[in-house]
Amino acid sequence: MNIAILGAGTGGLTAALALHQAGFNVEVYERHKAHNERGAGIVLWPNANFVLSKLGLIGQVAQVSGQIKAMKRLSHMGEKLGTVEVTKLNALMKFPSYSILRKDLQDILASRVTELGITVNFQHRVTQITENPENKAIVIFENGNQITPDIVIGFDGRMNSISRLYVNNDNTPVYQSFINWVGIFKGDNKLKRDSSLYLREPEYNDTKL
């Protein structure tokens, strides 16, 4: 069975590894000309690390990650809004939680994909998904190429997903009444590997973005 995965981000590469491990023939199609290294830090919760362990990658992830003990939310005035005791969650799930740069996770996944010989076709931007008379999906790319795999799995982003448009007839983002600010900072002092992650509520006004 031939499976096409649209998008070579962390989700697409993880799916490719899992399906390859299960014996499927997998190819990945990515719109950029190389692996995208954009993004900041992310938290890998116990369920994610369970999957990474099954893929044989948990050791590599642990080497470049921080281990979170708690997540604390503060208002912009320093008022405590709540705490998640991550160590209790880890004990319940029997797997750790790690904080990691998206770039580092992407590099680990991409290296494993290359090692296993899974093909990643870069510069393949999807423009349309349609069907042939046998009701098999046809994926059409901006560069003129077309594919007709047995299964198409979409990991082609949140903002302009052609696969979501094909399934739902709509891919318009829906505002969920909150905004996230994400960034990376550099400092002279090394952070502790075992530390709490503090989330501070930003100051804002009533202006709608």
Side-chain angles (χ1 to χ4, degrees):
M1 180 176 290
N2 297 318
I3 300 177
I5 294 178
L6 309 181
T10 56
L13 295 183
T14 301
L17 290 171
L19 290 166
H20 176 87
Q21 185 169 288
F24 293 100
N25 182 33
V26 184
E27 282 200 45
V28 183
Y29 296 84
E30 168 59 42
R31 62 193 175 106
H32 293 99
K33 63 181 180 180
H35 287 290
N36 186 359
E37 297 184 348
R38 289 184 300 176
I42 57 177
V43 174
L44 297 172
W45 296 107
N47 55 345
N49 288 313
F50 168 78
V51 173
L52 290 168
S53 72
K54 293 296 184 181
L55 297 177
L57 298 176
I58 192 67
Q60 295 179 55
V61 168
Q63 288 179 357
V64 295
S65 298
Q67 198 161 4
I68 301 171
K69 291 184 176 180
M71 296 182 72
K72 300 180 180 181
R73 297 181 66 238
L74 308 173
S75 73
H76 68 282
M77 298 294 291
E79 302 166 308
K80 295 181 180 179
L81 301 178
T83 301
V84 176
E85 297 294 343
V86 180
T87 51
K88 293 182 179 179
L89 174 64
N90 296 344
L92 177 66
M93 301 291 289
K94 296 181 172 57
F95 272 89
S97 296
Y98 290 129
S99 58
I100 187 172
L101 287 176
R102 184 191 178 280
K103 176 187 180 300
D104 291 340
L105 178 60
Q106 179 80 10
D107 287 345
I108 291 170
L109 295 170
S111 294
R112 185 61 171 157
V113 163
T114 300
E115 179 184 334
L116 293 176
I118 301 171
T119 300
V120 180
N121 302 278
F122 293 105
Q123 295 182 299
H124 276 69
R125 181 187 295 272
V126 180
T127 58
Q128 185 183 6
I129 300 177
T130 184
E131 296 177 4
N132 65 14
E134 289 76 39
N135 292 323
K136 290 188 68 174
I138 303 172
V139 183
I140 302 172
F141 299 98
E142 189 176 58
N143 59 17
N145 292 340
Q146 296 185 16
I147 58 172
T148 309
D150 297 304
I151 295 176
V152 179
I153 303 178
F155 284 93
D156 48 341
R158 295 177 297 168
M159 304 305 293
N160 189 27
S161 170
I162 302 301
S163 57
R164 187 183 300 113
L165 178 63
Y166 172 72
V167 173
N168 297 331
N169 295 316
D170 185 22
N171 62 357
T172 305
V174 178
Y175 179 54
Q176 299 291 336
S177 301
F178 67 90
I179 299 171
N180 286 341
W181 279 265
V182 181
I184 301 174
F185 74 91
K186 293 183 179 181
D188 295 330
N189 299 323
K190 291 184 178 181
L191 297 177
K192 295 180 181 179
R193 289 188 61 83
D194 297 321
S195 60
S196 297
L197 177 62
Y198 292 88
L199 301 181
R200 184 178 293 277
E201 291 285 313
E203 295 187 46
Y204 62 91
N205 55 35
D206 293 331
T207 303
K208 292 184 178 180
L209 300 180

